[in-house]
């Protein structure tokens, strides 16, 4: 049997180039890049390695089929033609979820039930049984209909890949781990880097920097849906975990320095750092931005507070002015700041060397780069 598998990883808009590099590095081939997602070819080993090692992917999907459908009958026949028996066993649960955009078939609940019905009919004919208990492992079917083109996937990850396992708790406005990892890649964090965050919050940017610098696979402390699938060899997952552990660079000189005005944030960062196994690399203090002194040859990466109401907005602008006085603007002190404020540079006092449009959740931001 052909053991190649077509995979697809969604990502934050603006991080496609970072994810592309990551996928090539782990051995993915024949990459196709589109907005907010990359598809590529691999095998069972790459399925496991992608889940464990990709830091900017939102999840790892097996890409099953792409076809045009403007009627429920076309949708039904298209899904029924998929070799679902390759991955779904007689006991497995196979729930369906999906979305539709700019398409003739716009009712998601209706599409969901058609996709489910087609999957059941296909598996009934292959297994010669009329009833599925669905008491076994979950093989999640996902569909996406965009401009009448239907894509069908299986989700190998389960919980989104941003759930690394170290952030049980977070403060009010955390940055998503996958977005943080992308910013860290853009800031070119290395094994010998010193990374500072004067607004460390729950520590995400510092912890992701440490994982990157020490080459710790972001998925090492969690489990994935496909590990339980009978169709994939569990030995491969064990081997890939061992490989990831062997690849950790404990000799890296990396250091992380964090400030936050809030005592609870300091405790939270240290607690999350402990769960991530990198607490010894963290130096965290309770302090205001005005007390921050950026060390020589260091990189500041931060997500400063920003206000959505007028009073908070004024306060945020005041923070940007203070940042402009203490953060390095280039040379041996670099700064990377993510903010949704259109006029950040005006308050910071210096134009960025480069800017990149990113989305933090639904909020359109810019990454302002000073190097």
């Amino acid at each position: 049997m052909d053991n190649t598998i077509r995979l697809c990883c969604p990502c934050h808009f603006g991080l496609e180039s970072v994810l592309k590099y990551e996928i090539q590095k782990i051995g993915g081939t024949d990459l196709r890049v589109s907005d907010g997602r990359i598809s590529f070819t691999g095998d069972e080993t790459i399925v496991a390695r992608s889940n464990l090692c990709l830091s900017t992917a939102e999840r790892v999907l097996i890409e099953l089929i792409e076809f045009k459908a403007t009627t429920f009958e076309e949708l039904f026949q298209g899904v029924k033609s998929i070799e679902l028996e390759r991955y779904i066993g007689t006991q497995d649960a196979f729930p369906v979820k999906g979305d539709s955009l700019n398409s003739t078939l716009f009712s998601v609940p209706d599409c969901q039930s058609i996709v489910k019905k087609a999957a059941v009919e296909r598996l009934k004919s292959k297994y010669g049984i009329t009833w599925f208990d669905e008491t076994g492992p979950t093989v999640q079917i996902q569909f996406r209909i965009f401009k009448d083109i239907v894509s069908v996937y299986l989700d190998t990850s389960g919980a989104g890949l941003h759930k690394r396992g170290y952030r049980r708790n977070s403060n009010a406005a955390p940055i998503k781990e996958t977005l943080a990892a992308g910013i860290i890649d853009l800031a070119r964090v290395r094994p010998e880097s010193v990374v500072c965050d004067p607004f460390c919050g729950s520590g995400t940017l510092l912890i992701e920097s440490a994982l990157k610098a020490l080459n710790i696979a972001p998925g090492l402390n969690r489990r994935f849906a496909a590990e339980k699938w009978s169709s994939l060899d569990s030995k491969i997952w064990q081997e890939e975990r061992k490989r990831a552990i062997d690849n950790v660079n404990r000799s890296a000189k990396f250091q992380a320095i964090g400030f936050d005005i809030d005592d609870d944030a300091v405790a939270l960062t240290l607690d999350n750092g402990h769960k991530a196994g990198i607490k010894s690399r963290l130096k965290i203090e309770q302090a205001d931005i005005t007390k921050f002194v950026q060390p020589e040859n260091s990189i500041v990466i931060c997500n400063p507070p920003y206000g959505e109401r007028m009073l908070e907005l004024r306060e945020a602008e005041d923070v940007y002015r203070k940042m402009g006085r203490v953060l390095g603007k280039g040379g041996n002190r670099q700064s990377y700041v993510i903010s949704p404020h259109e006029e950040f540079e005006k308050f910071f006092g210096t134009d960025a060397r480069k800017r990149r449009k990113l989305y933090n959740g639904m909020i359109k931001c810019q990454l302002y780069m000073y190097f």
Side-chain angles (χ1 to χ4, degrees), residues 2 9 68 84 142 145 149 160 202 223 227 276 327 334:
D2 178 18
C9 290
K68 188 172 182 181
L84 291 170
Q142 273 193 26
I145 311 177
I149 301 298
S202 51
R223 296 281 159 187
E227 287 187 73
L327 297 196
Q334 304 170 38

Side-chain angles (χ1 to χ4, degrees), residues 43-241:
D43 56 13
E44 281 190 38
T45 299
I46 297 296
V47 172
R49 194 175 296 169
S50 298
N51 276 293
L52 283 160
C53 299
L54 294 177
S55 67
T56 55
E58 293 302 310
R59 51 185 66 246
V60 180
L61 307 169
I62 292 174
E63 203 171 89
L64 296 174
I65 197 170
E66 206 172 78
F67 61 94
K68 188 172 182 181
T70 54
T71 67
F72 287 134
E73 181 59 23
E74 286 172 341
L75 179 63
F76 180 85
Q77 293 302 340
V79 174
K80 199 177 168 211
S81 72
I82 303 169
E83 291 181 2
L84 291 170
E85 63 279 2
R86 180 176 172 184
Y87 297 105
I88 302 173
T90 53
Q91 301 300 310
D92 296 340
F94 49 104
V96 174
K97 67 178 179 187
D99 55 74
S100 175
L101 195 65
N102 303 344
S103 297
T104 312
L105 301 175
F106 60 86
S107 166
V108 172
D110 287 344
C111 293
Q112 232 166 332
S113 61
I114 297 288
V115 170
K116 180 70 178 187
K117 193 175 162 195
V120 169
E121 289 305 316
R122 169 80 192 199
L123 295 170
K124 267 162 69 171
S125 70
K126 289 295 164 184
Y127 290 127
I129 54 176
T130 55
W131 180 255
F132 294 90
D133 280 332
E134 300 199 45
T135 51
T138 299
V139 184
Q140 175 76 59
I141 299 174
Q142 273 193 26
F143 66 87
R144 180 175 184 249
I145 311 177
F146 181 61
K147 294 183 179 170
D148 295 331
I149 301 298
V150 181
S151 305
V152 184
Y153 308 98
L154 299 179
D155 179 7
T156 71
S157 301
L161 293 183
H162 69 282
K163 296 195 170 165
R164 320 282 207 216
Y166 65 74
R167 202 169 80 178
R168 310 283 193 291
N169 307 302
S170 62
N171 58 346
I175 191 166
K176 213 168 167 190
E177 295 86 336
T178 41
L179 177 58
I183 292 168
I184 284 145
D185 260 351
L186 293 167
R188 296 195 161 88
V189 169
R190 300 282 182 260
E192 65 284 350
S193 295
V194 175
V195 172
C196 313
D197 183 354
F199 309 94
C200 65
S202 51
T204 308
L205 284 159
L206 295 177
I207 293 166
E208 291 295 323
S209 293
L211 297 181
K212 185 75 63 179
L214 303 175
N215 203 31
I216 298 171
L220 207 47
N221 288 332
R222 57 160 287 178
R223 296 281 159 187
F224 306 96
E227 287 187 73
K228 295 190 178 126
W229 296 2
S230 56
S231 58
L232 299 180
D233 187 351
S234 61
K235 281 212 298 291
I236 288 172
W237 291 87
Q238 290 160 18
E239 285 160 11
E240 283 303 309
R241 274 181 198 282

Side-chain angles (χ1 to χ4, degrees), residues 313-314 317 320-321 339-351 355 366 368 370:
L313 198 58
R314 296 278 168 269
E317 288 163 1
Y320 300 157
R321 283 191 194 94
S339 172
H341 199 305
E342 297 285 332
E343 296 188 295
F344 169 82
E345 290 157 305
K346 183 179 107 179
F347 296 99
F348 190 66
T350 315
D351 286 347
R355 296 160 71 164
Q366 293 278 355
Y368 297 95
Y370 297 88

